[in-house]
Amino acid sequence: MSLNITDVKLAVDGQLIEGGISIRDGRIDKIGRTAQLAKADRIVNGKGLIAIPGLIDAHVHLRDMELSYKEDFSSGTLAAAAGGFTTVLDMPNTRPPTSSDGRLVEKMAKARTAIHVNVGFYASLSESATDLRQMTNAGAIAFKLYMNEPNPDAWHNDRQRLLSSLEECGALRVPVAVHAENGPAIAKIQTRYREAGRNSMRDFLRAHAPKFELEAVRTIMDHARLTHSKIHVCHLSTHRSLREISAARKKGVEITCELTPHHLLLDTNDLNRKGGHALMVPPLRRHGDTKALWRAMLRGDIDIVASDHAPHSLEEKSARDVWTVRPGLPGLETTLPLLLTRVHRNEITLAALVKLLAKNPARVFGLQGKGRLEEGMDGDLALIDPKARFKIDSSKFYSKAHFSPFDGVECVGWPVVTIVAGRVVYDRGEVVEENQGKIVRGVRR
Ligand code: NCD
Ligand code: ZN
Ligand code: ZN
Ligand code: ZN
């Protein structure tokens, strides 16, 4: 099986080159002049389009199983394909949670026949070295630590226990992704507010104050310094915590970090206007934070942009009480168009975007063969039309989550074709070849 994309612009090595690309048996076989490509079974005319490496979303909640009313492997990976993502990493906060090698194996077995793009799996961070080793052997890409868990007696709040778990992850060379918010502190305020009948957006923002992110970031950085673990901080929301991370990195602390499009493009004004549909954790921050985060991203202080695609039912998003609204929003189908629009406005380069959404996630999570257009790499690509204009319309999402705080936003730049291992899975609104996704496993480190 072979596929040629002809007369296209290719995002290779930070440059745009004109030519063609041929994919044979799932891998990039040749990048060169269109006329030089060998004959192929299938031709895609790339005129007017740009080929970029298939994007990698390192932070996605595909849900499924008992939460499949929110999203399932099929709907979530179709959303990915429609958004230009060819690989997504699935979070372990499912029901049941991905908290043992058995659970991980079950999840993989269920996903295997249902996925339209490649999927790798996180597993929950455990204090048991045996569990960590078994989940690693079962193919976990990374572990996830939820510091925002409300229970103050959770094992990870014990410094020694967390340190020894992280040391083990370091020895296994498996990255640990962290939700950095001080959960017990937030829970205390939340309980006090609830009892007092306080449930406005402002109360939610006070409970999830920036200082609680900063405290958790400081704790985990301290641990990163003391162990040989590879810590990755998820969805940073404030300038302050980012500044501390950047400073620590300059002193040699090995730590990586991630931003979401919503923390880059929306602020508390949007939360006040849109209510529950714009509610997530950590929450939207003030305009000054968004601007500072954007600048930091341009400076190269951010490793990864990830959507934190966190689907919920409309009912769950529309609860009257702010403490009952489920935090999170779908992002797979909006991330690339929103950011391509910023490329169109010259606010960021396409090369920087490809680095944040493909090259760096592959590096941070050790995804072999992915993240770059290069001969020998996997044949995962997205073709974008940099001039196509569309309005975001969540009622048309492949995701089951039909809401978005970005509804109605006009975008310039859209993914039009998505190719997984040389197979066209998505073409201008249509699903073409189904179930082309493969399970991505952590490499033996
Ligand atoms: C996520 C979810 O719904 O699973 N929600 C969110 O607001 N970000 C959880 C998480 O990523 O922390
Ligand atoms: Zn989180
Ligand atoms: Zn998340
Ligand atoms: Zn224009």
Side-chain angles (χ1 to χ4, degrees), residues 15 147 151 196 200 261 266 385:
Q15 314 264 27
M147 294 178 82
N151 176 13
S200 69
L266 301 177
D385 180 344

Side-chain angles (χ1 to χ4, degrees), residues 346-358:
N346 289 319
E347 292 173 26
I348 185 169
T349 64
L350 181 65
L353 215 60
V354 168
K355 210 167 161 186
L356 290 159
L357 285 165

Side-chain angles (χ1 to χ4, degrees), residues 186-333:
I186 292 169
K188 235 162 124 181
I189 297 183
Q190 189 175 321
T191 307
R192 183 147 50 80
Y193 282 6
R194 270 190 118 135
E195 281 165 5
R198 292 175 60 172
N199 64 1
S200 69
M201 281 301 167
R202 276 178 64 192
D203 296 322
F204 186 90
L205 290 175
R206 273 193 207 105
H208 287 265
K211 69 172 174 200
F212 296 136
E213 181 178 81
L214 186 60
E215 286 168 10
V217 161
R218 282 185 176 146
T219 304
I220 204 64
M221 279 203 311
D222 182 47
H223 289 43
R225 221 174 265 124
L226 293 172
T227 58
H228 297 92
S229 51
K230 306 202 314 175
I231 305 277
H232 174 72
V233 183
C234 297
H235 49 43
L236 268 177
S237 68
T238 67
H239 180 221
R240 190 70 205 282
S241 39
L242 175 61
R243 225 169 49 200
E244 299 227 355
I245 290 178
S246 304
R249 268 151 68 115
K250 287 199 181 97
K251 287 190 198 138
V253 178
E254 246 197 277
I255 192 162
T256 53
C257 59
E258 155 195 308
L259 287 183
T260 69
H262 46 274
H263 290 114
L264 280 165
L265 301 173
L266 301 177
D267 57 43
T268 44
N269 294 315
D270 298 282
L271 179 59
N272 293 329
R273 266 199 302 272
K274 295 171 202 253
H277 289 199
L279 191 88
M280 77 295 289
V281 287
L284 296 174
R285 304 298 188 185
R286 293 206 301 235
H287 189 60
D289 274 302
T290 14
K291 288 190 67 168
L293 291 177
W294 188 275
R295 277 199 304 271
M297 178 175 75
L298 294 185
R299 271 203 308 274
D301 284 353
I302 303 295
D303 298 279
I304 289 178
V305 167
S307 75
D308 190 7
H309 179 82
H312 295 288
S313 74
L314 261 181
E315 212 179 343
E316 291 169 321
K317 292 303 287 180
S318 314
R320 292 280 294 278
D321 185 319
V322 75
W323 310 114
T324 313
V325 176
R326 304 306 304 155
L329 72 163
L332 282 167
E333 288 161 272

Side-chain angles (χ1 to χ4, degrees), residues 59 61 91 144 146 148 178-181 234-235 281-282 308:
H59 189 151
H61 302 266
M91 284 295 173
K144 178 68 181 279
Y146 287 97
N148 60 326
V178 179
H179 181 126
E181 275 192 300
C234 297
H235 49 43
V281 287
D308 190 7

